[in-house]
Amino acid sequence: MPGPAAAGDTGVDPLDAAQERRVRAVLALGGVPQSDLPDGVQQVRLRLLERAASGREAPRDVSAWAAVVASNLAMDWHRAKRRQERLGERLASLRQLEHPSGEDSSVLSLAVTRGLDELPDAQRQVVVLRFYADLPVRDIAGELGIPEGTVKSRLHSAVRALRARLHEDEVV
């Protein structure tokens, strides 16, 4: 069986079957769930292709290099999971805040809560952090590890969707 082609070749997989099995094993042993293993393997392939595209020579031992990259990806996965769990806990604690009294505010609060539940996770996250936790855009971007422009874009889309939902429900 021939070895892997040079990473710069188009249409050829930079990892052979044995290397892919090793990458999957390293990811799985690193605690990455089965459902995320294909993405992890693709990330290793991408990094190998990016390395070749940047003009650097292929690693001397592609299998060992791929295993190290897979190990690093597993650590990154755990860090991201912990960060999401912390944010989830913060969001949950914010949702438990008491609703203001009065029928009008209860109806509005219920409509906003429903609207928030319908938003994609990324949009709901920035709305809650911005308007409930009162964090500035800069801090949200830093906490989530995304550009400020992305935070602003998500906020804009989320507010537009919430506004439409409130008009649809004839709350405002």
Side-chain angles (χ1 to χ4, degrees):
M1 165 161 75
D9 292 350
T10 57
V12 177
D13 192 342
L15 295 176
D16 66 24
Q19 292 163 340
E20 181 175 334
R21 282 192 303 275
R22 185 173 189 191
V23 165
R24 282 180 173 277
V26 169
L27 291 168
L29 290 171
V32 176
Q34 289 289 323
S35 60
D36 290 340
L37 292 181
D39 289 338
V41 172
Q42 286 300 90
Q43 282 293 319
V44 172
R45 280 189 177 100
L46 178 63
R47 299 226 176 129
L48 187 58
L49 292 169
E50 287 172 340
R51 179 184 176 111
S54 71
R56 292 183 289 168
E57 64 185 60
R60 213 171 9 141
D61 183 350
V62 173
S63 187
W65 180 89
V68 169
V69 171
S71 177
N72 289 338
L73 287 171
M75 287 189 299
D76 291 346
W77 183 87
H78 282 288
R79 284 186 198 113
K81 182 180 175 196
R82 280 195 306 271
R83 185 170 43 245
Q84 284 299 109
E85 287 170 352
R86 284 193 309 267
L87 287 172
E89 290 167 4
R90 288 172 62 187
L91 290 175
S93 69
L94 290 172
R95 284 187 174 168
Q96 292 174 357
L97 295 176
E98 289 185 58
H99 296 289
S101 61
E103 187 177 321
D104 289 342
S105 63
S106 294
V107 170
L108 178 60
S109 179
L110 182 59
V112 170
T113 301
R114 284 186 189 150
L116 280 172
D117 287 342
E118 293 174 0
L119 290 175
D121 291 342
Q123 289 180 3
R124 180 175 49 251
Q125 188 177 46
V126 296
V127 166
V128 171
L129 292 174
R130 177 67 189 102
F131 298 113
Y132 288 80
D134 200 30
L135 293 177
V137 170
R138 178 184 65 252
D139 291 355
I140 296 169
E143 184 71 30
L144 298 178
I146 58 176
E148 287 183 36
T150 302
V151 173
K152 291 176 185 178
S153 173
R154 288 178 185 174
L155 280 171
H156 176 77
S157 298
V159 169
R160 187 175 62 226
L162 284 172
R163 187 176 295 128
R165 170 65 193 236
L166 294 176
H167 285 293
E168 179 182 302
D169 289 350
E170 297 179 354
V171 175
V172 292

